[in-house]
Amino acid sequence: MKKVRFSIGGKILGGFLTLIALFAANALISILTLNTGISLTERTTEITDPSADAIMNLMTMVNESEKLITSWVYLQNNEDNKQALKDLHIAYPQQKEVITQLSNAWGDSSLMLQTDTVLTQFESLIESEKEIMASLVSFEDYEDPMAKLLAENMVEDDIIPRTKEIRQQLVEISSIKEQEVEQAQIENVASYLQLRKIIIVLGAITVVLGLIGAFSISRKITRPVSYLKKVIQELGEGRLPEERIQESHKFSNDEVGEMADAVDGLVKGLQNTSEFAESIGKGEYEAEFTPLSDEDILGNSLLNMRDNLQKVAEEDKIRNWTTEGAAQFGELLRQNNADDQQLTQVILSHLISRLHANQGGLYLIQAEEAAEPYMTLEACYAWDREKYLDQKIYKGEGLAGQSWQEKDTIYLTDVPDDYVTIASGLGESNPTSILIVPLLVNEKVYGIIELASFEDFKPYEIEFLQKIAESIASTISTVKVNARTQELLAESQEMTEQMQAQEEEMRQNMEELQATQEEVDRKTGEMKGRLDAIDESGIASIEFNMDGIITNANEAFLSLMEYQIEEVQGKHHRIFVDLDYAQSEEYEKFWEKLRDGHKQPGEYKRITKSGAEVYLRGYYICMKDKNNNPTRVIKYALDITELKKKSIAVEV
């Protein structure tokens, strides 16, 4: 009888068909057992567990309601708790809807009735809380003893007892739902234990039959495959065993020959290695490459060479960046060493751009000879200058003062939320890193540079800033010395001229004093008459200092803008304009021209206290002292709102 010959594919197919049959039987039994567990699990996940969680959430909401309404009554200024109570009232209907939907699937009518009762009681409690909230809204309400007493009594005698009763009922419902959860868990565990037992038994049968089949075909299949596998592994490790490949020809021409395709794959891998080497030669250091194995000598060598060349290129880039930056700042320091304010602003702007920072400030030490010297903000970038304009920082005070005291750099990457914020027209956020570098030369600190960024500063950027800080400190020192020398020279010249003219001045003083007094009295009377005439004419007028801070306004202007004099004095002119215009470059140039002494006539749109728009035909005038220096700004204006609206309507 002719012996039946099975190919390797047939043997493997027979083995797999046997395993598939066993796995199919295993799967069928497991699915039947699993369906029961799935039903229990679905009931648990969709009804039982969410019901328990919903009851607990309602209990939490009840407790929070009691705490927040108490805070509303006794803590007048706790706006966060007040908002939280309002949010709770808004969120309750959604929570009620969740509990109602879940309770419909409980199948326990008494528990459903008890739950509905609790919801009704809590809704009544919320209405009582809203009465309290409505009675205590403004500061005057809290100052009203009767309103405050009624609210306190309502909390103590009504809200708290009713909350306690609701809480007790919720505890009973929660206890029942927790018992249901525990029972569901027990049933689920029992179902899965049964499934595990079935899987173990069927798995053991499958393993035994699989071992028998594997052993029966191993000698006929695995020997040549193992030999060919060994050859391929050596190729995969970067070695080319040509003789062994030739010896593999003794194998029969069957499925084993298909494994020769793996050799083609290896050839492709070597081709990838060659292409990677060419990419490195072209300077493409970001090219991707994976070695054939950990022992792939050529591939790993190419990777090491790529990494070394990339590192050298990066170092050259950093070196060029540093050299270019040093030259740039050296030129800036040479060109702007006449005025320390101009120097500090130029330096800070270029540092922000160079280091890709988002915010910065430059402090200079003032009153160095005083008992307690301090620093002030001389230049800033994207900083609230008005907030820090008059701020004095003493040695050891804050991080800037600590850097001054220790004469060392401070670098923070874990920035506290309340340290500083970077703001724009779209919003504000906390920086990722803070870098503080002292302006130090010859062990003497002349100031501090503080930068904030949304990105981390790189080590070479910190080192660059430290080197530049020394040059900046040296230049600032020179500027201060030159300024002091000029001051002393001017004082000396002035004193000489004063001494020469003193005798003549004293002779003329008495004669001029009487004439001056008469002239002052005359001009004072005239000015008072003019101002009274302006006020009586209904022309609106307002006065500012040269920084735009309001110092005075007449009744016509206050009535037009709906303010009292106490509400505007000390405030900036920007309270009368919209936010976009107040932050615009045009607005800044408007005040720069006024500070330079230029008049500003024209028609202007302004915003009243109530938010209404008015149109003024105004005239901004700079008042100057005897030295022709601007000292204050006076604006005279007429209300042309009706004319402007008619003009706009005609244009439309």
Side-chain angles (χ1 to χ4, degrees):
M1 184 177 179
K2 186 177 179 180
K3 184 176 181 181
V4 179
R5 179 180 178 275
F6 293 99
S7 65
I8 293 177
K11 296 174 183 178
I12 295 175
L13 179 60
F16 273 108
L17 288 176
T18 303
L19 291 176
I20 289 172
L22 292 172
F23 279 120
N26 190 354
L28 180 60
I29 298 174
S30 299
I31 289 172
L32 294 176
T33 306
L34 187 62
N35 283 338
T36 303
I38 290 175
S39 299
L40 293 173
T41 302
E42 289 178 347
R43 171 76 180 180
T44 301
T45 56
E46 295 178 1
I47 298 175
T48 307
D49 287 344
S51 297
D53 293 341
I55 295 301
M56 290 303 298
N57 290 339
L58 180 60
M59 185 180 297
T60 301
M61 187 174 289
V62 171
N63 293 334
E64 282 295 309
S65 171
E66 179 185 15
K67 180 184 72 174
L68 294 175
I69 192 61
T70 304
S71 172
W72 187 294
V73 174
Y74 293 99
L75 300 177
Q76 174 184 349
N77 297 323
N78 195 333
E79 297 297 331
D80 291 340
N81 283 355
K82 290 183 176 181
Q83 185 61 44
L85 183 58
K86 295 176 182 178
D87 294 342
L88 185 146
H89 289 172
I90 295 173
Y92 167 72
Q94 182 178 2
Q95 183 65 27
K96 176 184 176 182
E97 179 66 20
V98 171
I99 294 176
T100 302
Q101 292 180 356
L102 290 172
S103 63
N104 291 333
W106 289 353
D108 188 342
S109 58
S110 61
L111 190 60
M112 291 171 59
L113 179 60
Q114 186 177 2
T115 303
D116 290 338
T117 302
V118 170
L119 293 175
T120 302
Q121 292 176 349
F122 185 53
E123 290 172 358
S124 175
L125 184 64
I126 289 177
E127 294 301 320
S128 299
E129 291 176 351
K130 289 181 178 179
E131 293 179 8
I132 296 176
M133 293 163 63
S135 67
L136 296 177
V137 177
S138 64
F139 175 81
E140 289 77 13
D141 295 338
Y142 281 92
E143 292 298 316
D144 185 355
M146 181 58 66
K148 186 71 178 298
L149 180 61
L150 290 175
E152 291 174 353
N153 290 340
M154 192 170 182
V155 169
E156 297 295 333
D157 300 334
D158 183 33
I159 298 298
I160 293 178
R162 290 166 64 188
T163 301
K164 182 177 179 181
E165 180 181 356
I166 294 172
R167 189 185 299 114
Q168 290 175 350
Q169 296 184 53
L170 285 175
V171 168
E172 295 176 0
I173 298 173
S174 177
S175 176
I176 294 172
K177 302 313 294 182
E178 287 177 356
Q179 291 176 3
E180 291 180 2
V181 170
E182 292 175 357
Q183 182 62 32
Q185 291 176 346
I186 293 172
E187 293 176 358
N188 284 337
V189 170
S191 174
Y192 286 111
L193 287 176
Q194 182 181 0
L195 177 61
R196 184 180 66 178
K197 185 184 297 183
I198 294 172
I199 291 174
I200 290 173
V201 172
L202 294 178
I205 295 173
T206 303
V207 169
V208 171
L209 294 178
L211 289 175
I212 294 173
F215 180 79
S216 66
I217 65 174
S218 63
R219 295 184 62 85
K220 296 181 180 180
I221 297 178
T222 58
R223 274 189 174 183
V225 173
S226 297
Y227 185 82
L228 187 56
K229 173 186 174 183
K230 181 179 180 182
V231 175
I232 294 175
Q233 283 179 337
E234 289 181 313
L235 289 173
E237 293 171 356
R239 299 194 294 271
L240 300 175
E242 296 180 0
E243 295 182 358
R244 294 179 182 177
I245 293 174
Q246 294 175 357
E247 292 176 1
S248 67
H249 293 169
K250 65 183 180 181
F251 298 136
S252 58
N253 188 20
D254 55 14
E255 290 88 349
V256 177
E258 296 176 358
M259 298 186 67
D261 293 339
V263 178
D264 293 334
L266 179 58
V267 172
K268 293 181 181 178
L270 294 176
Q271 291 175 348
N272 291 336
T273 302
S274 176
E275 293 173 358
F276 178 66
E278 291 179 1
S279 298
I280 294 176
K282 296 177 182 178
E284 299 174 0
Y285 303 124
E286 301 299 327
E288 296 292 335
F289 177 72
T290 303
L292 299 176
S293 72
D294 293 339
E295 297 181 10
D296 184 356
I297 298 174
L298 177 60
N300 288 315
S301 297
L302 287 174
L303 283 177
N304 291 333
M305 182 178 69
R306 189 274 307 273
D307 294 340
N308 291 333
L309 290 174
Q310 189 175 20
K311 182 178 179 182
V312 170
E314 185 67 23
E315 290 175 352
D316 288 340
K317 181 180 178 181
I318 293 174
R319 190 180 301 108
N320 293 335
W321 181 87
T322 303
T323 303
E324 179 186 350
Q328 179 185 12
F329 276 92
E331 185 65 22
L332 288 174
L333 294 176
R334 286 191 294 272
Q335 294 177 355
N336 300 276
N337 58 6
D339 181 10
D340 57 353
Q341 291 185 349
Q342 179 182 359
L343 173 65
T344 54
Q345 190 60 52
V346 170
I347 288 172
L348 184 61
S349 297
H350 281 77
L351 278 176
I352 293 290
S353 175
R354 189 74 180 173
L355 299 179
H356 304 291
N358 303 97
Q359 191 179 72
L362 196 154
Y363 299 85
L364 291 184
I365 296 175
Q366 310 293 339
E368 297 179 14
E369 305 302 327
E372 190 175 5
Y374 57 88
M375 293 189 301
T376 58
L377 182 66
E378 291 296 319
C380 62
Y381 186 95
W383 208 294
D384 188 356
R385 184 179 181 90
E386 290 186 0
K387 181 178 180 181
Y388 301 99
L389 187 62
D390 298 327
Q391 181 186 22
K392 296 180 180 179
I393 300 178
Y394 296 91
K395 185 179 292 187
E397 184 181 57
L399 292 177
Q402 192 67 28
S403 178
W404 175 13
Q405 180 173 343
E406 296 179 359
K407 301 179 180 180
D408 198 7
T409 298
I410 296 177
Y411 179 47
L412 297 177
T413 54
D414 187 12
V415 182
D417 293 340
D418 58 349
Y419 182 80
V420 69
T421 56
I422 299 176
S424 70
L426 299 177
E428 61 182 22
S429 180
N430 293 324
T432 301
S433 58
I434 298 293
L435 178 60
I436 304 174
V437 177
L439 302 178
L440 179 67
V441 62
N442 296 328
E443 294 302 313
K444 182 177 180 180
V445 178
Y446 287 87
I448 293 293
I449 292 178
E450 182 173 1
L451 302 179
S453 176
F454 288 128
E455 300 176 356
D456 292 340
F457 291 98
K458 299 178 178 61
Y460 69 85
E461 292 177 333
I462 298 176
E463 182 179 358
F464 170 78
L465 182 55
Q466 291 171 334
K467 291 180 180 179
I468 292 299
E470 184 175 351
S471 300
I472 296 172
S474 178
T475 303
I476 290 175
S477 173
T478 302
V479 171
K480 287 183 175 292
V481 170
N482 292 341
R484 183 56 180 166
T485 301
Q486 292 296 327
E487 291 176 2
L488 292 175
L489 179 60
E491 290 176 1
S492 176
Q493 293 175 348
E494 184 179 357
M495 290 179 64
T496 301
E497 294 172 358
Q498 288 177 354
M499 291 179 65
Q500 293 174 351
Q502 186 174 11
E503 183 178 353
E504 179 65 20
E505 289 176 353
M506 291 184 65
R507 184 182 63 81
Q508 296 176 355
N509 279 345
M510 294 302 296
E511 298 176 359
E512 294 177 353
L513 182 61
Q514 184 175 0
T516 300
Q517 183 63 42
E518 294 174 355
E519 182 67 16
V520 168
D521 291 342
R522 183 182 64 81
K523 289 184 176 181
T524 300
E526 292 178 355
M527 181 60 69
K528 184 176 184 303
R530 291 176 182 176
L531 294 176
D532 291 342
I534 289 173
D535 289 340
E536 292 174 0
S537 68
I539 296 176
S541 68
I542 184 170
E543 296 183 16
F544 309 88
N545 65 19
M546 298 311 296
D547 291 326
I549 303 303
I550 302 168
T551 58
N552 197 9
N554 68 1
E555 288 298 327
F557 186 89
L558 294 172
S559 176
L560 177 62
M561 301 307 292
E562 303 175 358
Y563 284 97
Q564 299 294 326
I565 186 64
E566 296 82 5
E567 296 177 308
V568 298
Q569 278 185 330
K571 301 294 182 62
H572 195 273
H573 173 269
R574 64 172 60 93
I575 67 173
F576 302 129
V577 301
D578 58 55
L579 181 61
D580 291 339
Y581 178 62
Q583 295 178 346
S584 67
E585 183 178 355
E586 179 184 354
Y587 185 70
E588 291 296 328
K589 289 183 178 179
F590 173 81
W591 277 102
E592 287 179 3
K593 289 182 179 179
L594 287 176
R595 285 191 283 269
D596 290 339
H598 298 294
K599 302 174 182 178
Q600 294 290 316
E603 294 182 359
Y604 302 97
K605 181 180 78 172
R606 294 296 181 253
I607 308 301
T608 67
K609 179 180 179 181
S610 64
E613 295 181 353
V614 296
Y615 292 88
L616 306 177
R617 179 175 288 114
Y619 200 89
Y620 290 82
I621 305 173
C622 290
M623 306 300 293
K624 301 180 180 180
D625 58 16
K626 63 181 181 179
N627 296 322
N628 203 33
N629 295 322
T631 59
R632 59 196 175 104
V633 175
I634 297 180
K635 174 187 177 181
Y636 296 104
L638 292 174
D639 183 8
I640 60 169
T641 303
E642 295 300 325
L643 293 176
K644 194 69 176 178
K645 289 182 177 179
K646 291 179 180 179
S647 175
I648 294 173
V650 171
E651 292 178 0
V652 173

